[in-house]
Amino acid sequence: PPYKRVHSFEIRIEPLPRTTTRKLQRFQVLRELSEKKTAAAVEEPAPEPVEPAARVIYDLIRRLKDVPAVRGSMNLELDLGFASLERAELVFSIQETFHVRIPDAEMTTIFTVDDLVAAVLQKVSGELPVNGQARASWHALLREPLGEEEERILKERLVPSPAAEVFYFVLSRIARFFFWAFLRFRVRGLERLPKEYPYLICVNHLSFIDAFLVISTVPFRVLRRMCFLGDTDHFAGGFKTLVGRMGKVILVHPDRGPQVALRLAAEGLQRGLVLCVFPEGERSIDGKLKEFRPGPSILAAEFGVPIVPAAIRGAYEVWPRGSSRIHLHPVSLEYGNPMPPPAPGTPYEAVTRRLHEEIRSLAE
């Protein structure tokens, strides 16, 4: 996640400024860095690349990230700030424009703009298509034909099994009893869940028990249609694999890219399922609401489905991140009013901001 990344580093030969008592003068260090950034900003603009293919890639980067200048030495993540989904959109746009395929394994070795240009130039032959105009479209990416591996995952995870669904429902009600008995678990707003499908349920993420809290509350008609997006580390191997299959968890694999998981989630929505997502992407580090990832907004906007915001309260106190101990503390879950399907052309960022505000309001 972005907050764990090193965004920049600097090698300095001169001693750092210190006070007479040898304490570091942080304000002076920040001022010197600010002055260096200001000086760098007035440097002459970055030269345009010579190769037509490189110019198209530079233009696409400028439009996706809204940056004034692009240099070949820039790192896609550290300098240009490409998050995982934005990186996936960039790669897909390049593939659509040049009619080439960049394997996921090769993308893990591409760090800078120059690396990306070199990878494309190795695969491009002939003239640039579409007059060199780059295209970027989640609409097309989410409707790409599924490969053999994706078809296998769908058959394994999303095909209904009536007997397993009944067993799953019984387990959910046993869990509901334990949550009520030990955590004084309360739920509100169940009547707000839509009667028609598909739709998304988006919940804040405080603890490992969050998904089980949601599962324990929804009626059978929703539970049998519900699927999740989940991290490979938490739902792969032994008993965790069984839980993932029973819960229809679509795994987000870091090496395969989030676009594969979104493509499978899109297939679930097209089949009339209810997709439950934790937009923060991981558990909160301090119990507070974190920044949201754009995946749920992309799916809602592209397929015109409503989003049901929901907020969990108290789960962080039960099992906080970094702790191996479970504490007894009251927990509640509230479902909000469904957000209507985004209007055509609505920016994903606008949907994400509104969803964040809705969940924040419920959580408070």
Side-chain angles (χ1 to χ4, degrees), residues 58-74:
Y58 275 44
D59 179 62
L60 179 57
I61 290 174
R62 276 192 290 263
R63 284 194 279 140
L64 286 177
K65 294 304 296 181
D66 191 25
V67 292
V70 178
R71 298 177 185 273
S73 60
M74 284 183 167

Side-chain angles (χ1 to χ4, degrees), residues 37 65 70 72 77 116 152 219 223 262 282 302:
K37 288 182 179 180
K65 294 304 296 181
V70 178
E77 293 185 3
L116 184 59
R152 183 192 66 79
L223 185 66
L262 281 186
E282 59 183 345
E302 290 298 333

Side-chain angles (χ1 to χ4, degrees), residues 192-202 269 273-275 296-297 299-301 303-309 337-342 351 354-355:
R192 297 167 180 163
L193 294 176
K195 299 295 192 295
E196 297 181 357
Y197 313 98
Y199 58 85
L200 285 90
I201 297 177
C202 291
L269 291 176
L273 299 184
V274 176
L275 177 64
S297 302
L299 292 170
F303 293 95
V305 297
I307 303 176
V308 178
N337 292 314
M339 293 169 49
V351 182
R354 182 182 173 190
L355 177 61

Side-chain angles (χ1 to χ4, degrees), residues 175-301:
R176 175 77 175 270
F177 171 78
F178 277 98
F179 290 145
W180 170 79
F182 293 101
L183 305 179
R184 289 186 283 170
F185 181 47
R186 298 291 183 269
V187 60
R188 295 177 55 191
L190 272 175
E191 70 282 356
R192 297 167 180 163
L193 294 176
K195 299 295 192 295
E196 297 181 357
Y197 313 98
Y199 58 85
L200 285 90
I201 297 177
C202 291
V203 196
N204 61 325
H205 204 1
L206 299 174
S207 168
F208 276 131
I209 67 172
D210 294 344
F212 301 101
L213 292 172
V214 175
I215 291 169
S216 72
T217 62
V218 296
F220 180 69
R221 64 177 177 84
V222 176
L223 185 66
R224 63 187 297 268
R225 294 175 177 269
M226 181 174 284
C227 60
F228 291 83
L229 286 179
D231 193 283
T232 308
D233 293 340
H234 302 320
F235 294 98
F239 177 72
K240 294 187 290 185
T241 298
L242 178 62
V243 173
R245 289 180 179 176
M246 186 178 297
K248 296 186 176 72
V249 179
I250 300 170
L251 299 181
V252 181
H253 199 291
D255 294 332
R256 300 180 63 203
Q259 68 273 21
V260 177
L262 281 186
R263 175 66 188 89
L264 294 172
E267 189 69 23
L269 291 176
Q270 290 177 308
R271 296 185 181 194
L273 299 184
V274 176
L275 177 64
C276 184
V277 185
F278 299 100
E280 295 162 279
E282 59 183 345
R283 290 166 294 147
S284 173
I285 59 176
D286 56 5
K288 297 178 182 178
L289 197 63
K290 297 172 54 181
E291 186 176 339
F292 282 7
R293 300 181 183 181
S297 302
I298 292 172
L299 292 170

